[in-house]
């Protein structure tokens, strides 16, 4: 993969993962949960939750369902966020 293609991939990842992470953080705060509490409820590590919220982690389908269950929301709620397509 060329440098330019890598840069485009990073930009695409940032335009999706960052807003997704902020959305997860908002849902967690609305549920009045700390990262530690969300981690315990979901069976995921707190550092993994932190990485999601900072846009550093690409969440698997299984973990998406674990997070939805821990937040007491439907899985599709986790995907209801705005993506900047610029």
């Amino acid at each position: 993969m060329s440098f330019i293609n890598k840069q485009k991939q990073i930009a695409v990842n940032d335009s999706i993962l960052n807003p997704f992470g902020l959305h997860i953080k908002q849902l967690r705060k609305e549920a009045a949960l700390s990262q530690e509490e969300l981690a315990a409820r979901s069976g995921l590590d707190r550092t993994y939750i932190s990485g999601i919220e900072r846009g550093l982690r690409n969440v698997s389908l299984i973990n998406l369902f674990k997070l939805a269950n821990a937040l007491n929301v439907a899985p599709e709620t986790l995907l209801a966020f705005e993506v900047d397509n610029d």
Side-chain angles (χ1 to χ4, degrees), residues 5-19:
N5 286 340
K6 285 182 183 178
Q7 291 299 98
K8 286 182 182 178
Q9 185 62 43
I10 290 170
V12 168
N13 288 349
D14 288 348
S15 71
I16 296 169
L17 296 179
N18 286 336

Side-chain angles (χ1 to χ4, degrees), residues 47-62:
T47 59
Y48 183 73
I49 302 296
S50 174
I52 293 169
E53 291 184 357
R54 292 182 293 133
L56 302 176
R57 294 290 192 155
N58 189 2
V59 180
S60 72
L61 183 60
I62 291 170

